[in-house]
Amino acid sequence: TKDWNRVAEFYAERARGDVGLMVTGGIGPNLEGSVLPGASKMTNDEEVASHAIVTQRVHEAGGKIAMQILHAGRYSYGPKCVAPSPVKSPISPFPPNELDEEGIEKQIADIVNAAVLAQKAGYDGVEIMGSEGYFLNQFLVTHTNKRTDRWGGSYENRMRLPVEVVRRTREAVGT
């Protein structure tokens, strides 16, 4: 977004209405995981400063706010989208790029980094989106995870990515 004051006022209005905790819409941890080109991300200090406008306004209004980290995976609407396997989404014209080991580690690191930056921006917590067919869920289900390495195959292997994301995030930001 270009108008962070408008976003801040949207959430502050709800805080003034005694909403106990708000969770933002999905914020991308990187370009390849963002829902759309130009969608909100949390990847650097400039974005931290923009998000801090929102958290400060919510806190001034007496509210609490958590940031939803949303990696869209194969649902990302762009040619740089990534997934565990190259299984095209029915809602995007772009086939996903299959991640190699290094690419998987980058996605995990970017999600963790988004959580660290969210904490720096003043968010009271994060929600890491793992449902509705998005990135973490794409590793869990055999329809979208055709891998035969340590990230696919058995249920334990398919669970590895979401478990690692949560473990490393908690390690980075505290529990």
Side-chain angles (χ1 to χ4, degrees):
T1 183
K2 301 290 183 220
D3 190 353
W4 286 97
N5 283 307
R6 181 174 176 223
V7 174
E9 184 52 34
F10 173 85
Y11 288 112
E13 182 179 340
R14 278 133 191 89
R16 288 189 294 273
D18 293 329
V19 171
L21 173 68
M22 292 162 279
V23 180
T24 68
I27 307 297
N30 53 30
L31 178 63
E32 60 269 26
S34 293
V35 176
L36 296 165
S40 292
K41 300 187 312 298
M42 183 62 93
T43 62
N44 59 48
D45 285 337
E46 182 180 332
E47 291 162 348
V48 166
S50 296
H51 284 265
I53 295 167
V54 176
T55 60
Q56 181 178 353
R57 190 89 52 89
V58 167
H59 293 150
E60 287 169 355
K64 300 253 185 225
I65 187 165
M67 187 184 88
Q68 181 187 84
I69 300 171
L70 170 59
H71 190 304
R74 74 186 191 130
Y75 289 152
S76 179
Y77 199 86
K80 295 183 185 241
C81 65
V82 296
S85 302
V87 179
K88 189 180 158 310
S89 159
I91 63 171
S92 173
F94 304 100
N97 298 292
E98 182 173 19
L99 291 165
D100 59 13
E101 180 78 22
E102 182 180 335
I104 290 170
E105 289 294 335
K106 178 192 181 304
Q107 301 312 306
I108 295 170
D110 288 350
I111 293 168
V112 171
N113 183 58
V116 169
L117 294 176
Q119 190 174 50
K120 187 175 177 181
Y123 282 101
D124 298 294
V126 295
E127 173 189 70
I128 302 171
M129 176 62 99
S131 65
E132 300 171 2
Y134 291 113
F135 186 67
L136 271 63
N137 187 255
Q138 292 165 22
F139 272 82
L140 293 174
V141 297
T142 56
H143 174 73
T144 51
N145 185 343
K146 308 292 186 189
R147 304 179 74 89
T148 57
D149 61 5
R150 71 188 193 112
W151 302 100
S154 71
Y155 181 69
E156 179 182 13
N157 284 355
R158 288 181 283 122
M159 280 290 296
R160 188 177 317 278
L161 182 120
V163 168
E164 280 300 303
V165 165
V166 171
R167 185 186 68 74
R168 294 181 198 183
T169 299
R170 291 182 78 174
E171 187 176 275
V173 299
T175 55

